């Protein structure tokens, strides 16, 4: 889905003269929607919901593309290297910390309060 968005949909959105900041917002809103689908799945576990979630999942890539464009367009070569390096470092740290934090939240709220969807709600808030 993300490849389709980057190859096909992005061309149409750029032809429509959407600003990179708008593309970034579209990507983040779809990310929030994508995460909220997992909350819905907790109450309505249906296969159709899972397949329908592929559409917003594909649009998440717009945020990454827009962020890359904004950095490239607004910074010099030295600043770009620092910015992309920082983004990569932060993403790596988040990849390490996120599973630890979210699994603990999932376990805590699921066992104690019977609310295993709380980590997904936190994810939606962070995406927005």
């Amino acid at each position: 889905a993300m490849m389709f968005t980057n190859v096909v949909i992005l061309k149409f959105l750029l032809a429509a003269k959407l600003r990179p900041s708008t593309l970034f917002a579209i990507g983040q809103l779809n990310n929030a929607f994508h995460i909220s689908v997992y909350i819905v799945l907790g109450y309505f576990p249906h296969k159709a919901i899972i397949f329908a979630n592929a559409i917003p999942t594909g649009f998440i890539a717009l945020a990454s593309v827009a962020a890359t464009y904004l950095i490239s367009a607004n910074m010099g070569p030295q600043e770009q290297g620092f910015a992309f390096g920082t983004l990569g470092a932060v993403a790596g740290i988040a990849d390490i910390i996120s599973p630890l934090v979210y699994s603990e939240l999932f376990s805590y709220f699921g066992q104690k309060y019977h609310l295993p969807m709380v980590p997904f709600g936190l994810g939606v808030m962070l995406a927005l």
Side-chain angles (χ1 to χ4, degrees):
M2 289 186 185
M3 181 181 266
F4 178 77
T5 301
N6 283 338
V7 174
V8 178
I9 302 295
L10 186 60
K11 290 182 182 184
F12 289 109
L13 295 174
L14 292 175
K17 304 288 185 202
L18 291 178
R19 298 179 313 198
S21 57
T22 304
L23 293 176
F24 186 81
I26 291 170
Q28 284 303 100
L29 287 173
N30 277 283
N31 191 14
F33 181 76
H34 162 78
I35 296 169
S36 65
V37 167
Y38 291 107
I39 296 171
V40 172
L41 279 173
Y43 300 104
F44 306 104
H46 197 275
K47 290 180 184 178
I49 296 172
I50 296 169
F51 290 116
N53 198 25
I55 296 167
T57 302
F59 282 91
I60 294 170
L62 291 177
S64 176
V65 172
T68 302
Y69 175 82
L70 288 169
I71 290 170
S72 297
N74 295 310
M75 296 183 171
Q78 296 289 5
E79 294 168 320
Q80 284 181 27
F82 179 77
F84 287 126
T86 303
L87 282 176
V90 169
I93 292 168
D95 287 344
I96 293 168
I97 294 173
S98 295
L100 301 172
V101 170
Y102 279 96
S103 62
E104 286 299 316
L105 287 173
F106 187 84
S107 176
Y108 177 77
F109 283 103
Q111 290 176 357
K112 189 168 184 175
Y113 299 106
H114 304 289
L115 294 169
M117 302 308 161
V118 169
F120 297 108
L122 177 62
V124 169
M125 289 187 291
L126 289 173
L128 294 174

